[in-house]
């Protein structure tokens, strides 16, 4: 049917889909070949244009388990040659309710890129071992950060500038209110 064309374009293998259940005529499947939410890769393709990124993501020879598409190259990062055969290890340490902070423990045999398939959005920052790291837009809509070889803790945190300004203005308002109350009590 028409759904088969979509499955073909997305390269979903129907045998990898497991029926989890359903309700009101809707069936819910699990894709057992899906890319993990957080995973490491050693290869990156830099493609600046959004439409070209999407086209490459859908190309039959692109495998998101082993490579990532970035809109710009990470500063100072070079892919290891040859790429290790052992995949990076990624373990979840923490995820705050609402997803405003994610902490991961990673172990990379060589320099690589940690990909988090959560939405890239202004206000997100990244840190590797507590030091600010360059956050990259990956695979059109997700996040990535370069990680050196070895074991590291990577933190993604959402702290938009509007929140900083809001807290600053609220603090100034509290100071002004306190000064007003103190001044009126002295009279």
């Amino acid at each position: 049917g028409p759904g088969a064309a979509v499955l073909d374009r997305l390269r979903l293998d129907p045998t990898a889909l497991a029926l989890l259940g359903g309700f009101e005529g809707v069936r819910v499947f699990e894709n057992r070949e899906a890319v993990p939410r957080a995973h490491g890769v050693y290869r990156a393709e830099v493609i600046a244009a959004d439409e070209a990124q999407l086209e490459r993501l859908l190309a039959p020879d692109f495998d998101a388990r082993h490579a990532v598409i970035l809109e710009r190259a990470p500063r100072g990062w070079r892919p290891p040659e040859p790429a290790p055969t052992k995949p990076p290890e990624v373990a979840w340490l923490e995820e705050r309710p609402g997803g405003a902070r994610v902490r991961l423990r990673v172990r990379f045999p060589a320099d690589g890129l940690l990909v988090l398939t959560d939405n890239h959005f202004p206000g997100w920052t990244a840190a590797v071992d507590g030091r600010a790291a360059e956050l990259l837009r990956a695979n059109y809509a997700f996040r990535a950060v370069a990680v050196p070889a070895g074991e590291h803790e990577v933190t993604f945190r959402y702290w938009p500038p509007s929140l900083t300004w809001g807290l600053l203005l609220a603090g100034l308002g509290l100071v002004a209110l306190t000064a007003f109350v103190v001044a009126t009590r002295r009279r």
Side-chain angles (χ1 to χ4, degrees):
V6 173
L7 287 179
D8 287 345
R9 180 81 167 133
L10 294 176
R11 296 182 321 276
L12 292 176
D13 178 1
T15 62
L17 301 176
L19 181 63
L20 295 179
F23 56 96
E24 298 181 18
V26 175
R27 292 181 294 172
V28 178
F29 292 89
E30 174 189 14
N31 180 358
R32 291 178 281 189
E33 292 183 356
V35 175
R37 183 172 163 213
H39 65 284
V41 298
Y42 300 111
R43 217 168 48 81
E45 297 180 27
V46 177
I47 303 173
D50 289 351
E51 286 183 28
Q53 289 177 22
L54 289 173
E55 201 54 42
R56 180 67 181 129
L57 279 169
L58 294 172
D61 64 333
F62 181 76
D63 185 353
R65 290 176 295 229
H66 302 290
V68 64
I69 296 170
L70 303 172
E71 66 180 344
R72 70 179 187 283
R75 285 188 296 269
W77 183 80
R78 292 182 188 266
E81 290 295 332
T85 55
K86 182 179 179 193
E89 298 173 26
V90 178
W92 288 82
L93 297 176
E94 173 188 22
E95 181 171 16
R96 293 254 172 104
R101 180 173 151 170
V102 171
R103 283 183 34 236
L104 302 158
R105 169 81 50 206
V106 299
R107 182 174 299 149
F108 278 75
D111 294 354
L113 295 156
L114 175 65
V115 179
L116 181 63
T117 60
D118 289 355
N119 286 333
H120 183 277
F121 193 77
W124 279 101
T125 61
V128 176
D129 297 329
R131 287 184 221 103
E134 180 183 19
L135 186 63
L136 302 159
R137 186 167 62 108
N139 292 347
Y140 182 76
F142 304 132
R143 294 179 240 153
V145 65
V147 178
E151 187 170 317
H152 304 279
E153 184 175 301
V154 179
T155 304
F156 294 92
R157 188 171 142 212
Y158 186 65
W159 193 270
S162 59
L163 184 58
T164 301
W165 280 107
L167 290 174
L168 178 65
L169 291 174
L172 288 173
L174 185 59
V175 167
L177 179 62
T178 303
F180 175 76
V181 169
V182 169
T184 57
R185 287 209 170 168
R186 285 189 176 170
R187 289 183 195 167

